[in-house]
Structure formats: structure tokens, C-alpha cells
């Protein structure tokens, strides 16, 4: 399984905080996972996940979209951080 | 050596300061405190909501602290950052840095504030006096300041 | 608006901080505290003696505060500097600066520390553990940092 | 009268903290006053007051050696400051 977490604007736009998907060859990178999520869900997901400034984290580290995924990984999608 | 606290409760700046001073006496100490402003990015603010990514937040803050410690030869550092709903005038963030000399203390403190702004997974939403709410968007100046380091 | 205190007595960093925060809530607050180090410019230090020029000291510190206030659009600032005989680990100087944004708060605080080092008429003498005493000579790095502003 | 104050190393070297001299045409600048002090006192004063990094203050402001003096002024001599 791959755990997926959404935060802030992204979470609000798609109405989902956390979900899991089975790992497979079709979701072997973050970019591929994004494609699958957009494919399975609707327009809101496409808009949210295709934002140019979307940030991806893999196991709680920011990574680029071509980062490879393996069984048990935790992926997160969120907008640029605004703490401090 | 440093400490990271990520919490929804209010905190005592004085207690945090005293802990640093007693652990690392006879040095230079720079601190920064950020408070909730009544005028935010989108106008009058009634409350500030801070969402965060539990686990990742603590990890990133600890890594930034360790980076600062090596880079500026800090003796000690402490980061406290709140999440949840904060009232106007409440503290959001406190960073305290101890070094042997003032320049290192100032630089360490600024490095931590500049980097946590863009690297620690927090997201601010301003709840306005008219009842509406708006997510704060990332600030280009903050990104530029981040790149200086 | 700012305050200057030049005194031989010890002081409370927390009291000074609280006075700034209550006067200027909901902002960004940067502070610096310098403590007496046990290892000074000339070796092991037992006590630090600070001579000053009464009157000129207060005037210079007030002028530096007013300059910082205009230049960095500060909301408030406070400078406390001691003279006389100080023990190891006691605070020598405290500078607190309040601004609407963090960059101004940091810059105002650093400006005040960098400028008071070279412009305020204080002279340090280190009393060493072996009973001897030595005047501290001005630091070239401090002069260079002063010139940046 | 002109009040003259000495601080730190300079005070120690000459063994004097504060003194007064009559204002006259012969002490119409800080440089002239320095010359007169050295002339009236000995070698210690010459060494202390001819230090290349000596700082001069006139009425509690740092000035250059050619600053003019008038009746009632306060002059001070000291080494570079080392506060903070």
C-alpha cells in the first residue's frame, strides 16, 4: 500500500485528507501516481494536482515528481509552505 | 544541541529563553518571536489557523537546527512553532540561538527563520473579521531570502 | 519610540522584553543578549570591568536607536547596557527591536549591536584569574561590520 | 574654561581623569589643545595623546582634530570604544 496525504488548499479542493492505494507498476513514481489519481477522480483533482507550484513529499521529504515509489511509502501533496 | 517543540498550546518565551541560557551560559544569544498580526496578507485578521504535517514538521525543524548548528558553530538552539487556531497577538514562533559570538548568533537565528518559512510544512489561513477565511500564499521575498543561504 | 538604560545594576531580560511586547503587540520581535564570557580576548576572565563616558553614552545610544527606527521603520526598540564590574555569565547588553516584519526586526537589532560596539563610549577591561588586568582593544571585524551600514 | 576628560588607557597612561584649562587663542582647536597639553606635561602625555588611533570628542560627539574650541566646551580623549 501507498499512503497519500493532502494538506491545505489541495486537501480542501479535493475534499480528502488521506487515502491509500495499492502499489503497482502503474504507480511507480510520484508523477505516475498523480496521473492515476487524476484519472480515477474528477476535474477537481486534476486542477488541484496539476497546479504548477504543487509540492510533493515522499516519506516526509520534499522530492521531485520523478521520485520512484515502493511498497509502504508515504506520499504527500501540498502547496508551498507558509509557516513562521 | 537543540530542541524542537511543535505544539498547539501557547508557550512561555521566558521559559524557553531561560532553558537556553542555563544550558549555555556566558555567550551571545539572539532570539526571534513572531506574533499573530491583526492585519494579515488579506486584510483584518480575527484568528490565524495553522495547519501542519505532523512528523515531517518536527523532522524538518530538527534538520534545519542541525544544519544551523554546524554551519554557524552554534552552542545551542531552540525552535518552538505552534499550529491550530491562534488569536491576534499570540506568539506563533520562537527561535533562540546561542553562539560564542554575536555575528554567529544573529546569522543562525536568521537562517532558521528564513529556512523554516519555506521548508517547514505549515500553512496559514487567515480568518477575517467579516467571517471569511483565506489561505495565505507563499511570499516571493521569502523564497528569495531562502536562496541566499 | 525607544528606551535607553545605562546602569551598573543587573537587569531582567524578561522585564525588558515584556515592556516591548505590551507596548507593541502583534509584531515581529528580535532580541540580542551579550553575556560576560569566561574566556575573553586575553585569556581566562574572572571579572569584566566596563568604563563609560556618562552622558555621551546615553546620547549616542539614543541617537543610534532613532536612526534604526527611521531606517528600518521600527515600531519600538530598547537598549540596556551595563557598566562597572560584571561577573562571568552576567548580561552586559540587551537590545530588543519590534517591527512589522521579521527582516526589519533582525536588521534593526543587528544595526544597533554593530553600531553600539564601535560608537558608544564603553571600554572593557578583563580582570584575569591570575590577578592581572588588560584593556580590550578594538576589533577590526567590528569596524568592518560598522562600515557595512 | 575648557573641561578635558580622559578615559580608559589614556586616563591610566597620564594618571588624570579630568582637568580644566583656560580658553585662549593658543587652544582654539583640539589639535592645538593637544599640543599645549603635551608641551606642559611630560613624555607620558605625548605618548598617550599622539597615539594614531586616539579618538577626540567635543561636547560628547566624536570630531576630528581640527574641530574649533570655544569657551565652555567639553573635550574628551579616549581609545577606540569596545562596548557591546
Amino acid at each position: 500500500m501507498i499512503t497519500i496525504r493532502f494538506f491545505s488548499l489541495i486537501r480542501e479542493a479535493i475534499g480528502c485528507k488521506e487515502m491509500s492505494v495499492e502499489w503497482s507498476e502503474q504507480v511507480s513514481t510520484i508523477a505516475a501516481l498523480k496521473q492515476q489519481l487524476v484519472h480515477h477522480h474528477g476535474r477537481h483533482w486534476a486542477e488541484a494536482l496539476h497546479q504548477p507550484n504543487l509540492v510533493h513529499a515522499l516519506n516526509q521529504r520534499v522530492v521531485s515528481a520523478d521520485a520512484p515509489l515502493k511498497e509502504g511509502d508515504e506520499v504527500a501533496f501540498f502547496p508551498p509552505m507558509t509557516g513562521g | 544541541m537543540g530542541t524542537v517543540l511543535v505544539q498547539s498550546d501557547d508557550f512561555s518565551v521566558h521559559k524557553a529563553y531561560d532553558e537556553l541560557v542555563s544550558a549555555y551560559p556566558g555567550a551571545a544569544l539572539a532570539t526571534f518571536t513572531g506574533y499573530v498580526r491583526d492585519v494579515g496578507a488579506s486584510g483584518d485578521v480575527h484568528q490565524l489557523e495553522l495547519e501542519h504535517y505532523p512528523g515531517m514538521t518536527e523532522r524538518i525543524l530538527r534538520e534545519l537546527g542541525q544544519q544551523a548548528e554546524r554551519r554557524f558553530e552554534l552552542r545551542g538552539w531552540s525552535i518552538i512553532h505552534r499550529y491550530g487556531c491562534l488569536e491576534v497577538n499570540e506568539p506563533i514562533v520562537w527561535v533562540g540561538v546561542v553562539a560564542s559570538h554575536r555575528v554567529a548568533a544573529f546569522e543562525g537565528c536568521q537562517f532558521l527563520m528564513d529556512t523554516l518559512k519555506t521548508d517547514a510544512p505549515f500553512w496559514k489561513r487567515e480568518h477575517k473579521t467579516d467571517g471569511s477565511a483565506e489561505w495565505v500564499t507563499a511570499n516571493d521575498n521569502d523564497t528569495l531570502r531562502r536562496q541566499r543561504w
Side-chain angles (χ1 to χ4, degrees), chain A, chain B:
Chain A
M1 298 289 274
I2 290 171
T3 306
I4 314 169
R5 306 177 73 171
F6 304 96
F7 291 95
S8 179
L9 265 179
I10 309 296
R11 172 180 56 71
E12 278 195 338
I14 65 174
C16 175
K17 197 173 159 180
E18 189 171 333
M19 65 187 294
S20 301
V21 299
E22 294 285 341
W23 186 89
S24 73
E25 288 293 342
Q26 279 74 51
V27 295
S28 62
T29 66
I30 288 195
L33 175 66
K34 241 162 65 165
Q35 272 311 109
Q36 211 205 39
L37 291 173
V38 167
H39 182 73
H40 282 307
H41 302 272
R43 189 169 56 81
H44 290 312
W45 288 61
E47 276 170 15
L49 297 180
H50 287 151
Q51 290 198 19
N53 61 3
L54 186 78
V55 182
H56 332 93
L58 170 58
N59 299 327
Q60 306 189 351
R61 286 184 190 284
V62 170
V63 294
S64 62
D66 57 4
L69 297 181
K70 61 178 195 314
E71 175 60 24
D73 277 346
E74 175 176 307
V75 174
F77 296 106
F78 45 79
M81 290 87 139
T82 57
Chain B
M1 280 289 298
T3 57
V4 167
L5 284 174
V6 178
Q7 60 184 52
S8 62
D9 288 344
D10 198 0
F11 60 90
S12 163
V13 163
H14 298 335
K15 182 165 168 281
Y17 183 102
D18 287 342
E19 281 168 7
L20 263 184
V21 169
S22 58
Y24 310 100
L29 207 164
T31 75
F32 179 85
T33 322
Y35 291 88
V36 181
R37 277 193 286 271
D38 56 359
V39 177
S42 61
D44 288 354
V45 169
H46 164 58
Q47 252 186 352
L48 185 71
E49 185 188 341
L50 270 155
E51 183 171 336
H52 81 304
Y53 186 167
M56 178 167 171
T57 312
E58 288 83 349
R59 170 203 291 246
I60 294 285
L61 294 179
R62 204 155 36 236
E63 287 177 2
L64 292 175
Q66 287 158 352
Q67 268 182 54
E69 186 175 324
R70 282 193 300 275
R71 183 158 167 187
F72 304 104
E73 299 182 28
L74 304 184
R75 294 201 202 179
W77 52 273
S78 172
I79 303 171
I80 307 177
H81 203 303
R82 289 173 67 194
Y83 61 86
C85 273
L86 280 69
E87 305 293 327
V88 168
N89 296 346
E90 285 189 355
I92 307 169
V93 59
W94 187 80
V95 171
V97 161
V98 185
S100 297
H101 296 283
R102 83 179 185 291
V103 176
F106 272 123
E107 290 198 335
C109 196
Q110 269 186 293
F111 171 87
L112 286 176
M113 280 306 305
D114 285 348
T115 55
L116 76 79
K117 281 246 164 203
T118 58
D119 294 13
F122 286 103
W123 300 274
K124 282 190 183 121
R125 180 152 58 175
E126 293 175 350
H127 291 262
K128 301 197 253 183
T129 41
D130 65 8
S132 64
E134 213 162 297
W135 289 99
V136 173
T137 52
N139 184 322
D140 286 345
N141 283 335
D142 288 338
T143 310
L144 289 174
R145 286 191 67 86
R146 172 65 177 106
Q147 286 161 0
R148 289 189 323 154
W149 294 107

